[in-house]
Amino acid sequence: MCPVCGVWSNRVHGSYLRFPADVPSGGRSVVLQLRVRRFTCENSGCARRTFVEQIPGLTRRHGQRTERLRSTLAAVGLALAGRAGAGFAHPSAAARCSGWSTHFPNLR
């Protein structure tokens, strides 16, 4: 469904791979590989020509992390007052958060 006009589309424009970061499992990194489809909006009056399908509860537009990882990092940040929680978060996840890798080079 087009996020601008709400019209459903079956016209696939193409597809590509996404690799959103996820919460580690058993102390090991998890790598997700999602093939998402780009659709053409069938409403000729819509400003959006193409849009990408999203997986509810897993991805969001322009997201580089799963919703589960976003909520985990938010909980760590709130519980430990922001940047102080970076040392307790999983190093690979913390390094991917915007700006953290520049403030904490040992987490890269």
Side-chain angles (χ1 to χ4, degrees):
M1 177 169 42
C2 177
V4 173
C5 67
V7 171
W8 285 95
S9 177
N10 291 323
R11 290 183 53 199
V12 177
H13 182 267
S15 65
Y16 63 93
L17 293 176
R18 288 181 71 177
F19 298 92
D22 197 16
V23 176
S25 177
R28 302 189 78 179
S29 296
V30 173
V31 177
L32 297 178
Q33 178 179 331
L34 305 174
R35 179 168 298 278
V36 293
R37 296 174 292 180
R38 180 172 290 282
F39 291 94
T40 302
C41 184
E42 296 182 354
N43 179 359
S44 60
C46 182
R48 171 83 42 96
R49 293 180 185 222
T50 63
F51 58 93
V52 175
E53 67 183 334
Q54 300 300 324
I55 302 167
L58 184 64
T59 61
R60 66 170 54 179
R61 192 169 171 225
H62 302 295
Q64 296 183 6
R65 292 177 284 283
T66 62
E67 291 299 310
R68 185 169 60 169
L69 179 57
R70 288 174 54 84
S71 64
T72 300
L73 291 174
V76 168
L78 287 173
L80 299 174
R83 290 193 179 149
F88 293 100
H90 188 270
S92 65
R96 282 185 220 138
C97 292
S98 61
W100 285 15
S101 61
T102 58
H103 297 290
F104 297 94
N106 61 332
L107 293 178
R108 288 186 188 159

XYZ file of all heavy atoms in Angstrom:
824
model
N 0.845 -1.171 0.000
C 0.000 0.000 0.000
C 0.894 1.240 0.000
O 1.841 1.334 0.776
C -0.914 0.001 1.220
C -1.748 1.240 1.284
S -3.091 1.302 2.483
C -2.433 0.609 3.924
N 0.582 2.182 -0.856
C 1.359 3.420 -0.953
C 1.231 4.198 0.361
O 0.121 4.430 0.839
C 0.868 4.258 -2.113
S 1.704 5.844 -2.266
N 2.358 4.617 0.950
C 2.288 5.343 2.218
C 1.727 6.755 2.087
O 1.330 7.356 3.077
C 3.737 5.378 2.698
C 4.555 5.172 1.485
C 3.729 4.361 0.535
N 1.653 7.281 0.865
C 1.143 8.643 0.668
C -0.353 8.643 0.395
O -1.128 9.298 1.088
C 1.912 9.358 -0.470
C 1.288 10.706 -0.792
C 3.365 9.510 -0.104
N -0.780 7.896 -0.635
C -2.194 7.947 -1.027
C -3.014 6.757 -0.530
O -4.239 6.792 -0.568
C -2.314 8.064 -2.547
S -1.753 6.601 -3.449
N -2.360 5.677 -0.086
C -3.074 4.528 0.449
C -3.604 3.551 -0.581
O -4.333 2.624 -0.237
N -3.230 3.711 -1.846
C -3.696 2.824 -2.906
C -2.834 1.561 -2.931
O -1.606 1.638 -2.858
C -3.640 3.542 -4.284
C -3.909 2.581 -5.426
C -4.625 4.690 -4.310
N -3.483 0.392 -3.052
C -2.759 -0.872 -3.160
C -2.197 -1.011 -4.559
O -2.822 -0.614 -5.533
C -3.677 -2.053 -2.874
C -3.980 -2.200 -1.426
C -5.077 -1.712 -0.780
C -3.186 -2.843 -0.451
N -5.009 -2.014 0.555
C -3.853 -2.720 0.782
C -1.967 -3.516 -0.494
C -3.350 -3.239 1.960
C -1.472 -4.040 0.682
C -2.160 -3.910 1.891
N -1.023 -1.576 -4.668
C -0.394 -1.764 -5.971
C 0.127 -3.185 -6.096
O 0.641 -3.766 -5.137
C 0.767 -0.785 -6.143
O 1.420 -1.018 -7.365
N -0.009 -3.750 -7.291
C 0.543 -5.064 -7.599
C 1.681 -4.955 -8.610
O 2.233 -5.972 -9.011
C -0.539 -5.991 -8.160
C -1.559 -6.365 -7.108
O -1.214 -6.553 -5.952
N -2.811 -6.455 -7.511
N 2.002 -3.734 -9.030
C 3.041 -3.527 -10.038
C 4.410 -3.466 -9.369
O 4.778 -2.471 -8.762
C 2.787 -2.233 -10.810
C 1.578 -2.316 -11.722
C 1.384 -1.059 -12.521
N 2.606 -0.699 -13.233
C 2.841 0.517 -13.706
N 1.960 1.475 -13.520
N 3.945 0.762 -14.351
N 5.183 -4.548 -9.488
C 6.509 -4.613 -8.896
C 7.478 -3.870 -9.803
O 7.582 -4.149 -10.996
C 6.959 -6.074 -8.695
C 8.371 -6.140 -8.146
C 5.996 -6.795 -7.767
N 8.158 -2.902 -9.245
C 9.136 -2.093 -9.979
C 10.509 -2.753 -9.942
O 11.318 -2.595 -10.834
C 9.193 -0.695 -9.353
C 10.116 0.253 -10.037
N 11.418 0.423 -9.637
C 9.928 1.071 -11.097
C 11.997 1.321 -10.424
N 11.113 1.722 -11.307
N 10.787 -3.488 -8.886
C 12.067 -4.172 -8.721
C 12.186 -4.678 -7.295
O 11.236 -4.637 -6.515
N 13.358 -5.170 -6.949
C 13.601 -5.632 -5.587
C 15.073 -5.438 -5.257
O 15.899 -5.252 -6.153
C 13.211 -7.102 -5.427
O 14.040 -7.922 -6.212
N 15.375 -5.478 -3.966
C 16.762 -5.376 -3.530
C 16.893 -6.025 -2.158
O 15.893 -6.373 -1.526
C 17.248 -3.930 -3.514
C 16.536 -3.017 -2.549
C 17.022 -2.813 -1.271
C 15.371 -2.349 -2.922
C 16.376 -1.967 -0.382
C 14.725 -1.505 -2.048
C 15.233 -1.323 -0.779
O 14.596 -0.497 0.097
N 18.129 -6.210 -1.708
C 18.386 -6.830 -0.420
C 18.572 -5.774 0.651
O 19.185 -4.741 0.409
C 19.639 -7.709 -0.482
C 19.547 -8.941 -1.363
C 20.896 -9.653 -1.407
C 18.475 -9.887 -0.874
N 18.055 -6.065 1.844
C 18.284 -5.241 3.029
C 18.909 -6.137 4.086
O 18.601 -7.324 4.169
C 16.966 -4.689 3.590
C 16.353 -3.612 2.749
C 15.068 -3.106 3.368
N 15.343 -2.332 4.568
C 14.411 -1.722 5.286
N 13.145 -1.815 4.939
N 14.734 -1.025 6.354
N 19.776 -5.564 4.896
C 20.450 -6.304 5.954
C 20.286 -5.578 7.286
O 21.238 -5.015 7.817
C 21.947 -6.456 5.623
C 22.207 -7.225 4.366
C 22.342 -6.571 3.154
C 22.308 -8.601 4.392
C 22.579 -7.269 1.990
C 22.558 -9.311 3.233
C 22.690 -8.651 2.025
N 19.082 -5.580 7.865
C 18.895 -4.872 9.133
C 19.595 -5.594 10.286
O 19.598 -6.823 10.366
C 17.378 -4.875 9.320
C 16.902 -6.046 8.538
C 17.851 -6.200 7.393
N 20.205 -4.828 11.167
C 20.855 -5.380 12.352
C 19.780 -5.864 13.316
O 18.715 -5.258 13.433
C 21.722 -4.320 13.014
N 20.069 -6.964 14.015
C 19.106 -7.518 14.959
C 19.803 -7.813 16.281
O 21.024 -7.765 16.380
C 18.474 -8.795 14.399
C 17.205 -9.204 15.120
O 16.629 -8.372 15.852
O 16.768 -10.351 14.951
N 19.010 -8.135 17.290
C 19.519 -8.453 18.620
C 20.347 -9.739 18.538
O 19.922 -10.708 17.900
C 18.343 -8.645 19.607
C 18.829 -9.060 20.970
C 17.521 -7.377 19.687
N 21.523 -9.768 19.164
C 22.334 -10.994 19.159
C 21.585 -12.150 19.821
O 20.756 -11.951 20.703
C 23.565 -10.623 19.984
C 23.584 -9.143 20.007
C 22.173 -8.683 19.879
N 21.890 -13.348 19.395
C 21.266 -14.537 19.958
C 22.359 -15.483 20.443
O 23.234 -15.867 19.668
C 20.417 -15.228 18.890
O 19.858 -16.414 19.391
N 22.323 -15.822 21.706
C 23.324 -16.718 22.271
C 24.728 -16.152 22.200
O 25.690 -16.891 22.056
N 24.839 -14.822 22.277
C 26.145 -14.184 22.227
C 26.739 -14.073 20.827
O 27.876 -13.650 20.668
N 25.973 -14.433 19.823
C 26.476 -14.374 18.445
C 25.656 -13.372 17.643
O 24.461 -13.207 17.869
C 26.384 -15.748 17.790
C 27.183 -16.789 18.596
C 27.287 -18.048 17.881
N 28.323 -17.866 16.854
C 28.687 -18.821 16.033
N 28.103 -19.982 16.093
N 29.621 -18.593 15.140
N 26.302 -12.726 16.700
C 25.610 -11.750 15.849
C 24.586 -12.451 14.968
O 24.790 -13.590 14.537
C 26.608 -11.021 14.958
O 27.487 -10.266 15.730
N 23.503 -11.769 14.724
C 22.457 -12.268 13.845
C 22.474 -11.417 12.583
O 22.474 -10.193 12.656
C 21.069 -12.176 14.529
C 19.961 -12.540 13.567
C 21.034 -13.056 15.756
N 22.504 -12.068 11.430
C 22.492 -11.359 10.155
C 21.194 -11.712 9.439
O 20.939 -12.876 9.132
C 23.701 -11.749 9.269
C 23.618 -11.053 7.922
C 25.000 -11.426 9.976
N 20.367 -10.709 9.219
C 19.129 -10.899 8.464
C 19.348 -10.452 7.040
O 19.960 -9.413 6.787
C 17.995 -10.076 9.074
C 17.574 -10.425 10.485
C 16.478 -9.478 10.944
C 17.091 -11.855 10.560
N 18.863 -11.228 6.113
C 18.917 -10.846 4.705
C 17.481 -10.869 4.197
O 16.860 -11.923 4.121
C 19.768 -11.826 3.907
C 19.816 -11.495 2.432
C 20.697 -12.479 1.665
O 21.634 -13.030 2.205
N 20.379 -12.684 0.411
N 16.959 -9.696 3.887
C 15.577 -9.569 3.423
C 15.561 -9.091 1.977
O 16.208 -8.098 1.646
C 14.815 -8.557 4.275
C 14.789 -8.762 5.782
C 14.119 -7.574 6.449
C 14.076 -10.044 6.118
N 14.840 -9.776 1.130
C 14.617 -9.272 -0.223
C 13.276 -8.547 -0.189
O 12.239 -9.150 0.061
C 14.575 -10.385 -1.253
C 14.315 -9.825 -2.657
C 14.552 -10.817 -3.750
N 15.915 -11.292 -3.815
C 16.923 -10.640 -4.404
N 16.713 -9.459 -4.941
N 18.125 -11.158 -4.435
N 13.331 -7.245 -0.374
C 12.113 -6.435 -0.351
C 11.793 -5.972 -1.769
O 12.685 -5.793 -2.599
C 12.244 -5.220 0.601
C 12.340 -5.682 2.039
C 13.426 -4.368 0.240
N 10.518 -5.791 -2.022
C 10.077 -5.367 -3.351
C 9.764 -3.875 -3.366
O 9.254 -3.337 -2.395
C 8.830 -6.148 -3.762
C 9.098 -7.627 -3.901
C 7.830 -8.379 -4.161
N 6.993 -8.304 -2.953
C 5.808 -8.868 -2.837
N 5.286 -9.545 -3.832
N 5.121 -8.747 -1.725
N 10.104 -3.239 -4.463
C 9.748 -1.846 -4.704
C 8.567 -1.864 -5.666
O 8.613 -2.514 -6.704
C 10.924 -1.080 -5.311
C 10.602 0.378 -5.592
C 11.823 1.162 -6.012
N 12.754 1.357 -4.910
C 12.617 2.249 -3.941
N 11.563 3.031 -3.925
N 13.510 2.365 -3.001
N 7.499 -1.170 -5.278
C 6.282 -1.126 -6.086
C 6.114 0.237 -6.750
O 6.600 1.247 -6.236
C 5.045 -1.390 -5.213
C 4.954 -2.795 -4.711
C 5.464 -3.135 -3.474
C 4.363 -3.775 -5.479
C 5.387 -4.421 -2.998
C 4.278 -5.075 -5.018
C 4.793 -5.408 -3.768
N 5.403 0.256 -7.852
C 5.031 1.497 -8.524
C 3.620 1.854 -8.084
O 2.716 1.007 -8.138
C 5.051 1.312 -10.058
O 6.354 0.891 -10.440
C 4.697 2.600 -10.777
N 3.427 3.100 -7.636
C 2.096 3.536 -7.220
C 1.219 3.648 -8.459
O 1.588 4.277 -9.446
C 2.164 4.875 -6.483
S 0.544 5.391 -5.851
N 0.042 3.034 -8.403
C -0.866 3.024 -9.552
C -1.778 4.243 -9.603
O -2.531 4.410 -10.557
C -1.673 1.729 -9.558
C -0.782 0.511 -9.762
C -1.546 -0.796 -9.832
O -2.773 -0.801 -9.603
O -0.911 -1.813 -10.116
N -1.696 5.114 -8.604
C -2.484 6.339 -8.587
C -1.698 7.409 -9.344
O -0.665 7.884 -8.873
C -2.746 6.776 -7.145
C -3.542 8.047 -7.055
O -3.912 8.648 -8.057
N -3.799 8.471 -5.828
N -2.169 7.803 -10.503
C -1.440 8.770 -11.336
C -1.342 10.149 -10.688
O -0.447 10.929 -11.006
C -2.090 8.890 -12.711
O -3.432 9.327 -12.577
N -2.223 10.452 -9.748
C -2.188 11.749 -9.068
C -1.313 11.777 -7.821
O -1.179 12.812 -7.183
N -0.695 10.644 -7.496
C 0.116 10.556 -6.279
C 1.511 11.117 -6.526
O 2.107 10.899 -7.586
C 0.218 9.095 -5.825
S 1.142 8.885 -4.288
N 2.039 11.824 -5.534
C 3.383 12.402 -5.638
C 4.463 11.333 -5.531
O 5.574 11.516 -6.018
C 3.586 13.445 -4.553
N 4.165 10.218 -4.898
C 5.130 9.130 -4.729
C 5.023 8.193 -5.918
O 3.987 7.614 -6.169
C 4.822 8.396 -3.423
C 5.557 7.120 -3.161
C 6.944 7.251 -2.575
N 7.147 8.208 -1.557
C 7.135 7.983 -0.248
N 6.877 6.788 0.209
N 7.386 8.940 0.604
N 6.088 8.032 -6.661
C 6.054 7.142 -7.820
C 6.303 5.693 -7.443
O 5.682 4.788 -7.966
C 7.075 7.580 -8.861
C 6.728 8.903 -9.466
C 7.753 9.288 -10.483
N 7.465 10.618 -10.962
C 7.554 10.969 -12.214
N 7.945 10.108 -13.109
N 7.278 12.195 -12.571
N 7.277 5.466 -6.552
C 7.566 4.105 -6.098
C 7.650 4.091 -4.577
O 7.884 5.117 -3.947
C 8.899 3.573 -6.677
O 9.971 4.376 -6.208
C 8.883 3.556 -8.199
N 7.471 2.919 -4.013
C 7.595 2.744 -2.577
C 8.013 1.301 -2.311
O 7.840 0.421 -3.139
C 6.291 3.077 -1.849
C 5.115 2.260 -2.305
C 4.778 1.090 -1.650
C 4.348 2.673 -3.388
C 3.697 0.332 -2.082
C 3.269 1.926 -3.820
C 2.941 0.755 -3.166
N 8.601 1.081 -1.143
C 9.114 -0.235 -0.776
C 8.213 -0.854 0.273
O 7.768 -0.180 1.201
C 10.563 -0.118 -0.243
C 11.077 -1.459 0.260
C 11.470 0.444 -1.313
N 7.974 -2.153 0.133
C 7.166 -2.844 1.137
C 7.915 -2.880 2.465
O 9.139 -2.978 2.503
C 6.843 -4.266 0.675
C 8.035 -5.187 0.580
C 7.686 -6.565 0.062
O 6.521 -7.002 0.235
O 8.567 -7.205 -0.518
N 7.174 -2.766 3.553
C 7.731 -2.857 4.893
C 7.141 -4.090 5.558
O 6.022 -4.502 5.254
C 7.401 -1.610 5.715
C 7.927 -0.323 5.130
C 9.448 -0.307 4.989
O 10.164 -0.837 5.817
N 9.928 0.306 3.928
N 7.899 -4.673 6.471
C 7.435 -5.844 7.198
C 7.024 -5.364 8.586
O 7.890 -4.992 9.392
C 8.539 -6.910 7.273
C 8.960 -7.300 5.862
C 8.056 -8.122 8.064
C 10.229 -8.092 5.792
N 5.715 -5.319 8.874
C 5.241 -4.786 10.156
C 5.884 -5.490 11.341
O 5.981 -6.712 11.384
C 3.736 -5.041 10.119
C 3.405 -5.200 8.673
C 4.620 -5.800 8.038
N 6.362 -4.706 12.303
C 6.987 -5.243 13.495
C 8.450 -5.613 13.318
O 9.123 -5.972 14.265
N 8.951 -5.521 12.072
C 10.347 -5.876 11.830
C 11.133 -4.716 11.243
O 12.220 -4.393 11.713
C 10.438 -7.091 10.901
C 11.845 -7.626 10.636
C 12.466 -8.162 11.925
C 11.812 -8.706 9.575
N 10.590 -4.077 10.216
C 11.320 -2.991 9.559
C 10.478 -1.722 9.522
O 9.270 -1.749 9.697
C 11.681 -3.356 8.106
O 10.478 -3.581 7.370
C 12.561 -4.573 8.042
N 11.171 -0.623 9.278
C 10.498 0.647 9.021
C 11.270 1.360 7.921
O 12.393 0.997 7.607
C 10.373 1.500 10.271
C 11.684 1.996 10.842
C 11.522 3.017 11.923
N 10.662 2.569 13.002
C 10.391 3.279 14.063
N 10.904 4.468 14.222
N 9.613 2.826 14.994
N 10.678 2.377 7.373
C 11.279 3.099 6.263
C 12.645 3.659 6.652
O 12.795 4.289 7.696
C 10.334 4.235 5.870
C 10.683 4.882 4.592
C 9.550 5.786 4.157
N 9.996 6.570 3.038
C 9.796 7.851 2.898
N 9.111 8.505 3.808
N 10.249 8.480 1.860
N 13.642 3.421 5.839
C 15.033 3.852 6.024
C 15.685 3.256 7.271
O 16.748 3.704 7.672
C 15.155 5.381 6.081
C 14.642 6.067 4.867
N 15.219 5.916 3.634
C 13.593 6.905 4.701
C 14.548 6.652 2.749
N 13.557 7.248 3.379
N 15.061 2.271 7.896
C 15.602 1.688 9.117
C 16.762 0.742 8.839
O 16.706 -0.057 7.915
N 17.796 0.832 9.652
C 18.942 -0.062 9.520
C 18.977 -1.085 10.647
O 19.893 -1.897 10.717
C 20.234 0.747 9.494
C 20.306 1.639 8.272
C 21.608 2.397 8.204
O 22.507 2.191 8.995
N 21.712 3.286 7.240
N 17.995 -1.025 11.536
C 17.896 -1.958 12.649
C 16.469 -2.494 12.712
O 15.531 -1.824 12.308
C 18.232 -1.247 13.967
C 19.677 -0.846 14.070
C 19.959 -0.084 15.347
N 19.489 1.291 15.328
C 20.106 2.285 14.694
N 21.184 2.054 14.003
N 19.633 3.502 14.733
N 16.312 -3.698 13.266
C 14.974 -4.240 13.456
C 14.297 -3.480 14.589
O 14.950 -2.834 15.405
C 15.020 -5.745 13.814
O 15.722 -5.909 15.042
C 15.663 -6.556 12.714
N 12.987 -3.580 14.644
C 12.240 -2.911 15.714
C 12.641 -3.488 17.076
O 12.705 -2.769 18.066
C 10.734 -3.067 15.491
C 10.230 -2.297 14.286
C 10.463 -0.800 14.422
O 10.117 -0.223 15.465
O 11.006 -0.209 13.480
N 12.951 -4.772 17.118
C 13.370 -5.413 18.364
C 14.685 -4.821 18.867
O 14.841 -4.532 20.048
C 13.497 -6.915 18.133
C 13.807 -7.695 19.371
C 13.668 -9.156 19.135
N 14.562 -9.621 18.090
C 14.781 -10.894 17.831
N 14.149 -11.813 18.531
N 15.606 -11.251 16.891
N 15.649 -4.598 17.965
C 16.920 -4.004 18.369
C 16.731 -2.546 18.765
O 17.329 -2.077 19.730
C 17.959 -4.119 17.250
C 19.329 -3.514 17.535
C 19.956 -4.123 18.782
C 20.250 -3.692 16.342
N 15.884 -1.822 18.043
C 15.613 -0.418 18.388
C 15.053 -0.312 19.806
O 15.482 0.526 20.591
C 14.624 0.201 17.404
C 15.197 0.463 16.036
C 14.108 0.948 15.073
N 13.376 2.085 15.564
C 13.762 3.351 15.452
N 14.883 3.628 14.858
N 13.018 4.323 15.914
N 14.105 -1.174 20.137
C 13.498 -1.101 21.470
C 14.491 -1.540 22.545
O 14.502 -0.979 23.645
C 12.219 -1.931 21.536
O 12.503 -3.293 21.335
N 15.352 -2.520 22.254
C 16.364 -2.953 23.215
C 17.351 -1.836 23.497
O 17.679 -1.550 24.652
C 17.107 -4.197 22.699
O 16.159 -5.248 22.495
C 18.188 -4.645 23.660
N 17.840 -1.180 22.451
C 18.789 -0.085 22.632
C 18.147 1.102 23.340
O 18.790 1.764 24.156
C 19.373 0.349 21.288
C 20.306 -0.664 20.639
C 20.709 -0.189 19.244
C 21.531 -0.913 21.493
N 16.874 1.351 23.057
C 16.172 2.438 23.748
C 16.044 2.131 25.234
O 16.234 3.010 26.079
C 14.799 2.653 23.126
N 15.741 0.877 25.562
C 15.612 0.496 26.966
C 16.951 0.625 27.698
O 17.003 1.110 28.826
C 15.084 -0.939 27.081
N 18.041 0.212 27.056
C 19.371 0.353 27.658
C 19.692 1.829 27.863
O 20.173 2.238 28.913
C 20.451 -0.324 26.785
C 21.852 0.052 27.243
C 20.279 -1.824 26.802
N 19.405 2.639 26.845
C 19.677 4.072 26.940
C 18.894 4.748 28.045
O 19.435 5.572 28.786
N 17.617 4.393 28.181
C 16.795 4.993 29.237
C 17.207 4.506 30.622
O 17.272 5.281 31.569
C 15.321 4.668 28.995
C 14.670 5.413 27.845
C 13.262 4.873 27.589
C 14.622 6.905 28.129
N 17.505 3.223 30.727
C 17.866 2.669 32.035
C 19.210 3.184 32.532
O 19.406 3.363 33.729
C 17.900 1.147 31.961
N 20.132 3.435 31.611
C 21.478 3.826 32.019
C 21.832 5.254 31.603
O 23.007 5.586 31.481
C 22.493 2.841 31.443
C 22.299 1.400 31.907
C 23.245 0.477 31.187
C 22.480 1.290 33.407
N 20.838 6.082 31.410
C 21.018 7.512 31.141
C 21.846 7.793 29.889
O 22.884 8.434 29.930
C 21.618 8.205 32.348
N 21.374 7.311 28.755
C 21.978 7.683 27.475
C 23.300 7.032 27.177
O 23.426 5.828 27.168
N 24.312 7.845 26.949
C 25.611 7.338 26.503
C 26.296 6.433 27.514
O 27.127 5.624 27.163
C 26.529 8.489 26.140
C 26.077 9.181 24.882
C 27.135 10.097 24.368
N 26.651 10.718 23.152
C 26.980 11.916 22.757
N 27.814 12.633 23.478
N 26.514 12.404 21.638
N 25.940 6.550 28.772
C 26.533 5.667 29.774
C 26.165 4.217 29.488
O 26.903 3.305 29.842
C 26.061 6.054 31.174
N 25.037 3.984 28.821
C 24.612 2.626 28.496
C 25.331 2.028 27.314
O 25.218 0.835 27.069
N 26.106 2.802 26.586
C 26.777 2.285 25.396
C 27.759 1.173 25.738
O 27.925 0.241 24.975
C 27.503 3.411 24.670
N 28.405 1.254 26.870
C 29.356 0.228 27.262
C 28.698 -1.087 27.632
O 29.344 -2.127 27.627
N 27.387 -1.058 27.958
C 26.685 -2.267 28.354
C 25.914 -2.893 27.203
O 25.519 -4.035 27.283
C 25.713 -1.969 29.502
C 26.427 -1.589 30.754
C 26.552 -0.252 31.112
C 26.997 -2.550 31.562
C 27.222 0.106 32.261
C 27.672 -2.200 32.711
C 27.795 -0.867 33.069
N 25.685 -2.149 26.146
C 24.990 -2.691 24.984
C 25.950 -3.569 24.200
O 27.159 -3.479 24.343
C 24.473 -1.548 24.099
N 25.406 -4.438 23.378
C 26.250 -5.300 22.550
C 27.119 -4.414 21.669
O 26.617 -3.500 21.027
C 25.366 -6.221 21.702
C 26.137 -7.251 20.973
N 26.622 -7.040 19.715
C 26.532 -8.493 21.335
C 27.267 -8.117 19.328
N 27.219 -9.013 20.289
N 28.417 -4.638 21.616
C 29.322 -3.741 20.886
C 28.953 -3.513 19.427
O 28.978 -2.394 18.953
C 30.681 -4.434 20.988
C 30.586 -5.261 22.209
C 29.143 -5.688 22.307
N 28.544 -4.564 18.710
C 28.224 -4.359 17.301
C 26.957 -3.534 17.142
O 26.833 -2.735 16.226
C 28.068 -5.697 16.580
O 26.959 -6.403 17.100
N 25.997 -3.706 18.057
C 24.761 -2.934 17.988
C 25.007 -1.491 18.388
O 24.513 -0.567 17.753
C 23.708 -3.554 18.890
N 25.788 -1.283 19.427
C 26.053 0.078 19.894
C 26.840 0.872 18.872
O 26.618 2.061 18.690
C 26.803 0.035 21.222
N 27.749 0.234 18.183
C 28.577 0.935 17.197
C 27.752 1.399 16.019
O 28.086 2.394 15.382
C 29.701 0.027 16.732
N 26.646 0.690 15.731
C 25.823 1.079 14.586
C 24.886 2.228 14.887
O 24.297 2.805 13.998
C 25.002 -0.111 14.118
C 25.836 -1.057 13.327
C 24.999 -2.160 12.758
N 25.808 -3.352 12.890
C 25.379 -4.522 13.272
N 24.134 -4.707 13.526
N 26.189 -5.530 13.393
N 24.712 2.556 16.153
C 23.843 3.675 16.510
C 24.521 4.967 16.083
O 25.719 5.126 16.239
C 23.579 3.708 18.006
S 22.579 2.328 18.532
N 23.754 5.863 15.551
C 24.337 7.080 14.991
C 25.150 7.838 16.018
O 24.672 8.186 17.081
C 23.233 7.978 14.441
O 22.356 8.345 15.472
N 26.413 8.069 15.688
C 27.279 8.879 16.510
C 28.013 8.142 17.614
O 29.022 8.615 18.096
N 27.547 6.980 18.022
C 28.189 6.287 19.137
C 29.594 5.843 18.791
O 30.473 5.888 19.621
C 27.370 5.091 19.575
C 26.155 5.446 20.360
C 25.578 6.680 20.463
C 25.364 4.582 21.139
N 24.476 6.623 21.250
C 24.311 5.337 21.684
C 25.424 3.235 21.420
C 23.353 4.791 22.502
C 24.453 2.698 22.235
C 23.433 3.474 22.773
N 29.818 5.402 17.556
C 31.139 4.886 17.211
C 32.180 5.990 17.232
O 33.356 5.730 17.459
C 31.107 4.205 15.843
O 30.732 5.120 14.852
N 31.787 7.232 17.026
C 32.753 8.325 17.085
C 33.068 8.707 18.519
O 34.165 9.159 18.810
C 32.233 9.570 16.332
O 30.991 9.963 16.896
C 32.074 9.278 14.857
N 32.119 8.491 19.424
C 32.344 8.811 20.833
C 32.995 7.665 21.593
O 33.611 7.859 22.613
C 31.029 9.197 21.511
C 30.411 10.421 20.942
N 30.949 11.661 21.116
C 29.310 10.587 20.176
C 30.198 12.562 20.489
N 29.204 11.928 19.925
N 32.798 6.436 21.086
C 33.339 5.253 21.733
C 34.105 4.415 20.704
O 33.597 3.411 20.228
C 32.213 4.419 22.352
C 31.476 5.138 23.430
C 30.309 5.840 23.148
C 31.958 5.153 24.733
C 29.630 6.508 24.143
C 31.280 5.814 25.726
C 30.111 6.508 25.442
N 35.324 4.820 20.341
C 36.045 4.107 19.289
C 36.353 2.660 19.629
O 36.520 1.855 18.735
C 37.339 4.915 19.125
C 37.396 5.879 20.246
C 36.042 5.954 20.864
N 36.382 2.294 20.907
C 36.666 0.906 21.258
C 35.487 -0.024 20.967
O 35.625 -1.233 21.056
C 37.061 0.789 22.732
C 35.966 1.254 23.659
O 35.149 2.103 23.286
N 35.923 0.732 24.857
N 34.319 0.512 20.585
C 33.158 -0.303 20.264
C 33.054 -0.627 18.787
O 32.134 -1.288 18.366
C 31.862 0.409 20.701
C 31.675 0.562 22.209
C 30.387 1.316 22.470
C 31.656 -0.771 22.893
N 33.968 -0.178 17.984
C 33.896 -0.434 16.534
C 34.144 -1.870 16.203
O 34.814 -2.603 16.736
C 34.894 0.434 15.791
C 34.447 1.855 15.786
C 35.365 2.676 14.927
N 34.997 4.055 15.105
C 35.780 5.050 14.851
N 36.963 4.848 14.371
N 35.382 6.266 15.043
